[in-house]
Amino acid sequence: MHSVGMEEHLDGTSEKLTAIGTIVAVFLIGCLSLYLMSNLSAEKKKQHLEELVSQLIHSLIQKVYDENAIE
């Protein structure tokens, strides 16, 4: 009976990892699109990408913190 609880925990963890992986993949596709299609200078592109990465990391950390605070 204890193993069922562990399986449920692993299912929840894999769902979270899948969601995070999807977000990261979409983000990377967006960054690549911005870099290839934008008419901005290389410096501006770099600034935009740095800001986007910073916001993504902050959002992921906040989401993990919020979920752990609830449990």
Side-chain angles (χ1 to χ4, degrees):
M1 194 155 118
H2 182 69
S3 65
V4 172
M6 184 60 133
E7 289 175 5
E8 289 175 2
H9 176 70
L10 291 176
D11 287 343
T13 300
S14 65
E15 287 176 7
K16 289 178 185 177
L17 290 175
T18 301
I20 290 172
T22 301
I23 291 169
V24 170
V26 168
F27 179 77
L28 291 174
I29 291 169
C31 288
L32 182 62
S33 298
L34 171 70
Y35 189 78
L36 294 175
M37 297 181 192
S38 176
N39 291 331
L40 296 173
S41 67
E43 183 62 31
K44 284 288 185 185
K45 287 179 189 178
K46 182 180 175 187
Q47 289 174 352
H48 283 266
L49 291 176
E50 287 175 352
E51 182 64 28
L52 288 170
V53 168
S54 174
Q55 289 180 13
L56 176 65
I57 291 170
H58 176 75
S59 297
L60 290 174
I61 291 171
Q62 187 65 42
K63 177 128 178 93
V64 169
Y65 174 78
D66 289 345
E67 287 181 3
N68 287 336
I70 292 171
E71 295 174 359

